[in-house]
Amino acid sequence: MSSILIIDDTNKYWELCTRFMPEHTFLPPARNFREAEAALSRSRDVELVLLDVHFDIPEEQLLPEDKTDLLAKGDRNRALERLRRAQGLHILDRLRRSHPDLPVIVMTSRDDLPLEADAERLNAEDYTYLLDDEYLDARSLRLQVEGILARRTRPPAEDEPFYWGQSSRMLALRRRLSILARGRLPIILLGDTGTGKSLLAREFIHARSQRSGPFVAVDLSTLPHELMAAHLFGVVKGAYTGATASRDGVLARAHGGTLFLDEIGNLALDLQKQLLVVLQDGRYSPVGSVDERVVDIKLVVATNENLATMVSTGRFREDLYMRLNPATAITLPPLRDRGEDFGSLLDTFVARVAREPYNRDLVLQYATQRGLQAPADGSPMPIAIARALPARLDPRRLHLLLHPSSFKALREFDWPGNFRQLEMFLSNLITLTLVELVDQADVVEPGDPAQASRPDVIPILPRVVRDLLRPMEIPRAGANPEAAAAAQDGSLRMPVVVKPGESLNAVSCDVERQYMEQMYEKYAGDLGRMAEALLGDAGGGRKVQLRMNQLGIKLRKLKRRKADS
Ligand SMILES: Nc1ncnc2c1ncn2[C@@H]1O[C@H](COP(=O)(O)OP(=O)(O)OP(=O)(O)O)[C@@H](O)[C@H]1O
Ligand SMILES: [Mg+2]
C-alpha cells in the first residue's frame, strides 16, 4: 500500500483513483502549489504524485507568484487563461526544485494537450493522456502507477556497471532502454564522448537482450575505408589481391547476438545501403561472393554526431536512418548536467577507481601503515568521498575529505570528456594523494597528532583539485581563438586594445577590463569560477562583480552577447 498525492483543482481524478485503486491511499487533493507543498511536508511518506495540467483557480493561487511581466502586455484575461491551461507545468517546475526525485505522473487530456515547447520537458517525466473515459483512464493510470511503484521498490543495483543515479529522468531512461533492449529493433545511442555509450551497449543492452549469441563491437572511426566492407561482411578467397583465405566478417560473428557499430556516422555511403538490406531482409553477401548469407543480429549504433543533419546534407542515407529507429534514440546526458546526483555519483566513481589494481595496492598500503582494518577476505578497502568530517572513526572505511569549494568546483566543471575524464581525474587524485602520504609515513614520526587522530580521513587540498582540473579546461567555442591556442601552457594570451595618449591609469583599467571580459567568456559567465581563478576564493563572486562594475563592464550586455554567439 502506497501513499499518493493528487494535485488537481477538482475531485475528478481523486474519485476515479480511490474507486479503481482501493489498494493505495490517496491523500485529499491539493488544489494548488501551496497546498501541494504543505501536504508533502506533512506526509513525508508520499511515494508518487499525480498532477493535472489545467487548473481553474483564482489568480492569486496561480504560479508564478509574480506575474507582473506576464500580464504587462497584451490581453490580461488571455494571459491568465494561458497560465491556467499550463499551470500543472509551473507546479511541476517548482516541485522539481524541492523534490527532485519524487515521481510525478502528469495527466493531460485532449483539452489541454501540452504545448510543443513543453513536450520535451515532459518527456523526462511520466505522463499520460486521458480520454475522459472512466475505464480506459483508470486502466492507463493504474498501469503507470504500478510501473512506477515497482521501479521505486527496486532501485538499480549499486553494482550495475552503468551508474544511473536516482533522478527520475535517469530512471525513466533506464526503464525505456530495458524495454528497447528486449525488442528486435535497432537502438541508436547518442551522447557526447565519454557519456557511456559503449559501456551501455555492452553491459546493459546486450546483457538484457536475452540473446544467446555474442556481443561484437566495431569502432567505425578507426577502420580504414578500404577495409570496412571486408571487416563487416567478410571476404572470400581471391576477392582481391591479399585476400588469401576466406574470412568471416563481424556480421557473421555477431550472429544470434548483438552487433555494436560505434561512430556509425563513419560508415561509407556504399556500405550504408548494404547495412540497410541486412536490417530489412537479414541477408548480405561477403566481399567477392554472390552467395547470400542469412544473419540474425540485434543492431546497436552510437554516434556523437547529429545523424539527422548528416541526412539533410547527404552524408547519411535517409532510408538507413529511418530503419535505425530514430524515434526511440536514447540520448545520454553529459556529466555537467548530472548535478542533481553529483554527490553520490562522485562517491560511486571514487569507489570504482580505487578498485583499479594500482590504486587498490596503494589504499591497502596506506591502511596497513595507519593501523586501519583492511577486509580480511582480500576485497578492496571501502572508500568514500566526504564533504564533512564523518562523526566517528570507522577503521574499516576510508574517507577522502573534500573542501566545499572543491566540491563546488567539481560540480560546476564543464567535463568535456565526461565520465572518462572524471575517472581519470579521480584516479590521479587518489594516486597523487596516497603516494605522498605513503611516502611521508617513512619520514614522519609515527604519532603525528593530526594524522593519528583520524587515520580514516584523508583531507584533499583544494590546490590539488585545482591543479588537476586546470589543464583539462578547454575554452568553449566562440571564445577568442588566440586564448584557445595559449591555454595549452596555462597562460592566457589575448589581444588588448588601448587608446594612444591615455594616462597609465586609464590604460591599465582598459587592460583589466578586457581581461575580465575574456575571463567572463572563458568561464561562461560563472562568477564563482572567475573568483576562484582570480582571487583563489570561489566564494568571491560578489567581489568580482563589484570590480567589473567599477571597470564599467555591463554584465547584462555580456550575457546578451554570450547568448547571441
Ligand atoms: N554512467 C556511467 N557509469 C559508469 N561508468 C561510466 C558511465 N559513463 C561512462 N562511464 C565510464 O567512462 C568511460 C567512457 O565510457 P564509454 O567508452 O562507454 O563512453 P562513450 O560514450 O562510448 O565515448 P566515445 O563517444 O568517446 O566512444 C568508461 O571507462 C566507462 O566505464
Ligand atoms: Mg564509445
Side-chain angles (χ1 to χ4, degrees):
M1 188 168 101
S2 301
S3 185
I4 299 174
L5 174 67
I6 298 182
I7 312 179
D8 180 14
D9 59 326
T10 70
N11 280 340
K12 192 167 111 189
Y13 295 124
W14 185 81
E15 279 162 6
L16 188 78
C17 290
T18 42
R19 224 169 98 219
F20 287 93
M21 288 182 258
E23 66 278 25
H24 299 301
T25 309
F26 290 90
L27 305 181
R31 308 295 184 196
N32 52 43
F33 173 69
R34 213 167 29 78
E35 288 191 22
E37 278 280 274
L40 286 171
S41 60
R42 257 196 324 272
S43 329
R44 295 190 172 271
D45 57 347
V46 170
E47 288 182 65
L48 174 64
V49 166
L50 302 185
L51 172 64
D52 192 15
V53 171
H54 194 157
F55 282 73
D56 239 334
I57 50 178
E59 179 181 336
E60 65 277 9
Q61 295 181 10
L62 284 171
L63 287 182
E65 284 93 355
D66 181 7
K67 306 182 226 339
T68 343
D69 280 355
L70 281 172
L71 302 181
K73 14 182 209 304
D75 183 336
R76 185 187 165 84
N77 285 333
R78 283 180 61 183
L80 282 175
E81 183 46 31
R82 264 202 309 278
L83 262 191
R84 292 194 172 99
R85 281 184 61 126
Q87 181 59 199
L89 300 176
H90 290 272
I91 296 180
L92 181 64
D93 277 346
R94 277 302 178 82
L95 276 181
R96 281 284 164 253
R97 272 191 240 161
S98 47
H99 300 84
D101 295 330
L102 185 64
V104 175
I105 299 178
V106 183
M107 306 178 291
T108 61
S109 70
R110 272 172 305 184
D111 298 335
D112 50 35
L113 285 180
L115 307 169
E116 208 163 301
D118 297 314
E120 193 180 339
R121 191 152 46 112
L122 276 178
N123 259 330
E125 306 285 339
D126 288 284
Y127 69 103
T128 190
Y129 285 117
L130 298 175
L131 304 166
D132 256 337
D133 175 298
E134 249 190 9
Y135 291 95
L136 288 178
D137 289 350
R139 209 166 67 191
S140 60
L141 272 178
R142 172 184 226 120
L143 265 176
Q144 293 250 16
V145 167
E146 298 307 333
I148 289 176
L149 293 177
R151 238 193 295 157
R152 198 136 169 93
T153 43
R154 255 187 301 110
E158 280 281 304
D159 55 357
E160 235 181 63
F162 188 90
Y163 172 81
W164 294 96
Q166 292 297 330
S167 70
S168 50
R169 171 172 162 221
M170 290 305 287
L171 292 179
L173 211 60
R174 177 173 177 270
R175 190 171 46 127
R176 180 137 170 242
L177 202 54
S178 309
I179 298 169
L180 295 175
R182 276 178 267 131
R184 298 191 58 84
L185 292 177
I187 300 178
I188 304 180
L189 297 177
L190 303 173
D192 295 346
T193 180
T195 48
K197 301 181 293 297
S198 301
L199 179 70
L200 261 191
R202 186 177 61 242
E203 301 289 345
F204 191 86
I205 301 181
H206 179 62
R208 278 160 196 256
S209 69
Q210 299 166 341
R211 296 175 67 81
S212 55
F215 173 82
V216 179
V218 183
D219 183 348
L220 294 175
S221 66
T222 58
L223 270 185
H225 182 184
E226 59 281 11
L227 299 185
M228 220 177 245
H231 194 80
L232 291 179
F233 301 105
V235 59
V236 294
K237 186 175 168 182
Y240 49 81
T241 20
T244 50
S246 297
R247 217 166 359 101
D248 274 347
V250 287
L251 228 53
R253 277 197 278 136
H255 182 58
T258 307
L259 177 63
F260 175 49
L261 294 182
D262 206 350
E263 306 299 350
I264 185 75
N266 289 292
L267 185 63
L269 271 171
D270 50 327
L271 301 182
Q272 291 180 14
K273 173 79 200 188
Q274 295 182 48
L275 185 61
L276 178 68
V277 175
V278 172
L279 289 177
Q280 265 163 4
D281 310 330
R283 286 170 196 281
Y284 70 97
S285 304
V287 176
S289 165
V290 286
D291 293 342
E292 284 197 328
R293 306 258 170 99
V294 175
V295 71
D296 165 30
I297 50 157
K298 165 126 184 141
L299 185 67
V300 181
V301 305
T303 178
N304 45 37
E305 291 181 274
N306 186 330
L307 284 181
T309 310
M310 290 184 70
V311 169
S312 64
T313 53
R315 286 178 299 143
F316 203 85
R317 287 184 71 107
E318 185 174 352
D319 46 9
L320 176 60
Y321 177 62
M322 291 309 168
R323 196 76 201 188
L324 289 175
N325 195 13
T328 62
I330 295 280
T331 304
L332 298 177
L335 177 51
R336 63 174 168 277
D337 288 352
R338 297 286 302 272
E340 73 254 69
D341 41 33
F342 193 75
S344 54
L345 191 151
L346 263 191
D347 235 2
T348 311
F349 276 77
V350 161
R352 257 177 222 202
V353 165
R355 271 185 248 132
E356 289 163 5
Y358 181 70
N359 286 331
R360 186 179 159 145
D361 290 350
L362 265 179
V363 170
L364 262 185
Q365 222 176 325
Y366 173 88
T368 322
Q369 273 179 357
R370 317 283 156 129
L372 298 171
Q373 295 166 16
D377 60 0
S379 57
M381 179 106 190
I383 183 164
I385 208 155
R387 271 172 282 170
L389 196 66
R392 236 172 297 114
L393 170 98
D394 175 358
R396 290 158 308 171
R397 175 181 290 276
L398 272 181
H399 299 275
L400 304 181
L401 185 62
L402 211 52
H403 191 268
S405 71
S406 298
F407 182 82
K408 187 161 178 284
L410 291 177
R411 200 183 48 204
E412 291 171 2
F413 190 65
D414 213 34
W415 298 109
N418 292 296
F419 294 90
R420 187 178 288 123
Q421 194 178 20
L422 178 69
E423 284 178 342
M424 264 164 35
F425 167 84
L426 290 173
S427 191
N428 279 330
L429 188 71
I430 291 182
T431 309
L432 295 179
T433 308
L434 284 183
V435 164
E436 203 158 308
L437 288 175
V438 165
D439 288 352
Q440 246 176 32
D442 297 335
V443 282
V444 174
E445 288 290 306
D448 169 357
Q451 287 291 329
S453 57
R454 289 301 296 265
D456 61 327
V457 174
I458 303 178
I460 304 286
L461 299 177
R463 177 181 49 78
V464 176
V465 171
R466 256 201 321 269
D467 288 351
L468 284 175
L469 281 185
R470 196 173 299 130
M472 300 195 296
E473 258 177 35
I474 298 177
R476 289 169 179 244
N480 178 347
E482 297 225 9
Q488 296 282 342
D489 62 359
S491 68
L492 180 71
R493 236 161 280 148
M494 56 174 205
V496 173
V497 183
V498 289
K499 295 189 196 85
E502 273 191 343
S503 70
L504 183 59
N505 186 34
V507 169
S508 43
C509 281
D510 236 344
V511 172
E512 191 181 346
R513 184 174 49 72
Q514 292 173 53
Y515 178 54
M516 288 295 229
E517 288 184 357
Q518 299 272 347
M519 295 296 273
Y520 184 88
E521 188 155 27
K522 175 168 175 194
Y523 289 108
D526 184 336
L527 297 181
R529 283 172 64 205
M530 277 179 74
E532 168 103 76
L534 295 167
L535 313 169
D537 169 19
R542 179 93 191 113
K543 275 191 209 150
V544 170
Q545 189 178 1
L546 278 176
R547 182 66 192 147
M548 289 174 85
N549 284 344
Q550 283 170 351
L551 292 165
I553 300 174
K554 300 264 180 303
L555 275 180
R556 193 174 297 181
K557 215 161 102 194
L558 283 187
K559 266 188 209 142
R560 207 170 324 124
R561 197 194 304 164
K562 193 155 94 34
D564 289 344
S565 71

